Amino acid sequence: MKQAGYESDLFVFQAGEKSKTRKTKEMIEDAMLESGYRRDCCILAIGGGVVTDLAGFIAGTYGRGIPFINYATTLLAAADASVGGKTAVDTPLATNLIGLFYQPKKVYLDIATWQTLPQRQIASGLAETIKHACLADQDFFEYLKQHMDQIWTFDKDVCEHIARTNCKIKYTVVMQDERETGLREILNLGHTIGRAIETVSDYKLLHGEALAIGLAAEAELACQFGYLAKAEQDEMVQLLKEPDFRLPFLLILIGKSW
Ligand code: GLY
């Protein structure tokens, strides 16, 4: 940025959901003000979902609104957080309670960075990906079943297909109901239970890990209430277990109850 002639500064905070707070927002806003940034600046959010959610919220309120660009470096951010304009911080009561609908000017998905992530982070992003397949696209569901191994070896074509399909599904929904007056609620599949689990785990579970449990629990409820066939529920839980076989504790949680 500096080489291109832009004044720029890095504002860094501790990784993890526990940083997605009003306190971190205030800390970064104060640092930006101190550095002299005014309404003609732009925020470039480089990181995962915590960074893009928090940076988007800061951009939405700083100087009554400045532009922001997301540069997503995790599968979870690529699959969900960086697209769609939901920005927020967490509170002690629950996640994402304070925030804005505020769209980024542009979103970059850097697939090469996925290879630098711990396996838990990839599994976490896969939960959002499986969510999209379950709610919108049976072909994508089959694709994930057949290509799980290539995801773990970061096959370029497979990763690009996943990134594109996630965005297409999310974009199609958000374009029809940006402010979640109805349709967009389908993107919350698994989240009612997942978010509660994430909060009570004190964020020891990653977002996608809690979501995987939420998806399995909601599939069980859907089956009990007659909205989902038993065979479909089994397929869904089986796919959720695939990325998680590297996460013994999560497998135990899912395996014990379902
Ligand atoms: N993560 C759900 C949504 O963007 O609506």
Side-chain angles (χ1 to χ4, degrees):
M1 296 291 289
K2 282 186 169 146
Q3 275 171 14
Y6 293 99
E7 269 181 46
S8 60
D9 286 285
L10 269 177
F11 300 94
V12 182
F13 57 88
Q14 182 77 33
E17 193 73 31
K18 281 203 161 176
S19 289
K20 211 176 101 177
T21 59
R22 284 169 281 192
K23 204 165 161 215
T24 313
K25 181 173 185 278
E26 185 183 306
M27 187 261 290
I28 291 174
E29 287 163 347
D30 287 346
M32 286 174 66
L33 289 169
E34 189 113 329
S35 300
Y37 288 98
R38 298 293 178 258
R39 292 174 69 187
D40 57 352
C41 71
C42 170
I43 292 180
L44 180 53
I46 304 173
V50 170
V51 173
T52 58
D53 278 13
L54 182 62
F57 188 22
I58 294 172
T61 55
Y62 194 83
R64 300 197 179 88
I66 56 171
F68 78 112
I69 294 169
N70 283 335
Y71 189 98
T73 58
T74 66
L75 172 56
L76 189 123
D80 185 43
S82 69
V83 181
K86 273 189 181 175
T87 75
V89 292
D90 302 332
T91 71
L93 188 64
T95 59
N96 293 329
L97 288 186
I98 311 284
L100 291 169
F101 288 100
Y102 193 63
Q103 296 295 345
K105 292 285 175 207
K106 214 175 181 79
V107 178
Y108 293 93
L109 310 181
D110 187 348
I111 290 169
T113 56
W114 298 0
Q115 299 187 36
T116 68
L117 297 173
Q119 288 177 342
R120 276 186 75 189
Q121 289 285 352
I122 296 291
S124 178
L126 277 171
E128 289 286 2
T129 305
I130 294 169
K131 176 201 80 176
H132 279 153
C134 290
L135 67 88
D137 191 334
Q138 188 160 5
D139 290 343
F140 190 40
F141 189 92
E142 293 301 321
Y143 183 91
L144 292 176
K145 264 167 64 180
Q146 280 156 27
H147 294 85
M148 199 50 80
D149 286 347
Q150 285 120 297
I151 297 171
W152 286 105
T153 54
F154 302 104
D155 179 280
K156 188 170 170 290
D157 290 340
V158 173
C159 290
E160 279 184 11
H161 181 74
I162 286 175
R164 272 211 191 85
T165 312
N166 272 322
C167 281
K168 197 172 96 197
I169 291 169
K170 185 143 190 195
Y171 180 83
T172 306
V173 174
V174 174
M175 285 304 283
Q176 293 174 73
D177 180 22
E178 186 190 3
R179 302 218 152 215
E180 200 170 296
T181 55
L183 179 70
R184 187 166 179 167
E185 285 176 9
I186 64 169
L187 297 177
N188 297 333
L189 181 65
H191 280 71
T192 305
I193 293 173
R195 280 197 191 292
I197 289 174
E198 186 180 6
T199 308
V200 297
S201 83
D202 195 27
Y203 303 106
K204 287 186 183 66
L205 289 180
L206 298 176
H207 177 72
E209 292 171 347
L211 172 59
I213 298 169
L215 284 167
E218 290 180 21
E220 168 68 25
L221 287 172
C223 191
Q224 281 182 23
F225 284 105
Y227 294 110
L228 192 68
K230 181 80 179 77
E232 288 173 325
Q233 182 201 359
D234 290 345
E235 268 200 276
M236 195 170 148
V237 173
Q238 187 52 42
L239 188 58
L240 285 166
K241 282 181 174 176
E242 291 274 334
D244 296 330
F245 68 85
R246 285 150 233 252
L247 305 170
F249 73 94
L250 183 58
L251 192 60
I252 289 166
L253 277 173
I254 291 182
K256 268 200 176 150
S257 309
W258 291 279

